Amino acid sequence: MAMAWLQRMLTKGGGNFVSTVTSSPHSRFFSKSSNPYVVKVGILEFLNGIGKGVESHAAKLESEIGDFNNLLVTRTLKLKKLGIPCKHRKLILKYTHKYRLGLWRPRAEPVKA
């Protein structure tokens, strides 16, 4: 029954149906074209982007880990040995994973709470 309805829609009124499906459905949700993200990301910018008190460990991470690429591959045991609490370790590891996948980037201006 549904297949017959779909065939009828495509053959009789298919022009409008196909054009609405193939047009960009998410274009109405993104109104700003400016780039609100930081171009150069370092450890300090990354931790400030996470927020939630994690930025208090910036000096310790910069001195022990060094650069941002090393932070992206750091494991939980290394963070634990540096004395970072469990909740902050989880946040750092969660956001480094998202950053590696390209799903999250720190914003240029901090989010107002």
Side-chain angles (χ1 to χ4, degrees):
M1 173 107 172
M3 193 63 155
W5 177 80
L6 185 60
Q7 275 184 329
R8 237 180 300 133
M9 285 295 294
L10 289 175
T11 55
K12 291 187 179 180
N16 293 338
F17 181 73
V18 172
S19 66
T20 57
V21 171
T22 57
S23 67
S24 177
H26 302 291
S27 62
R28 63 184 171 151
F29 296 115
F30 302 109
S31 61
K32 293 183 179 179
S33 63
S34 64
N35 190 7
Y37 300 104
V38 176
V39 176
K40 163 100 174 59
V41 178
I43 292 177
L44 182 62
E45 293 85 8
F46 185 79
L47 296 178
N48 284 334
I50 295 173
K52 300 176 185 165
V54 178
E55 60 273 2
S56 64
H57 306 292
K60 190 183 315 180
L61 289 173
E62 284 181 343
S63 65
E64 294 294 325
I65 292 179
D67 65 341
F68 180 63
N69 289 330
N70 289 340
L71 179 65
L72 291 177
V73 295
T74 301
R75 304 279 179 127
T76 186
L77 191 58
K78 173 79 173 173
L79 296 175
K80 187 174 184 176
K81 287 180 180 176
L82 293 175
I84 298 174
C86 179
K87 191 177 279 190
H88 292 171
R89 285 196 309 265
K90 286 172 75 171
L91 283 170
I92 292 169
L93 293 172
K94 173 181 156 183
Y95 282 97
T96 54
H97 183 68
K98 284 184 176 187
Y99 185 87
R100 282 193 310 260
L101 294 176
L103 299 175
W104 179 83
R105 295 209 50 177
R107 291 186 165 269
E109 66 276 350
V111 178
K112 296 177 180 118

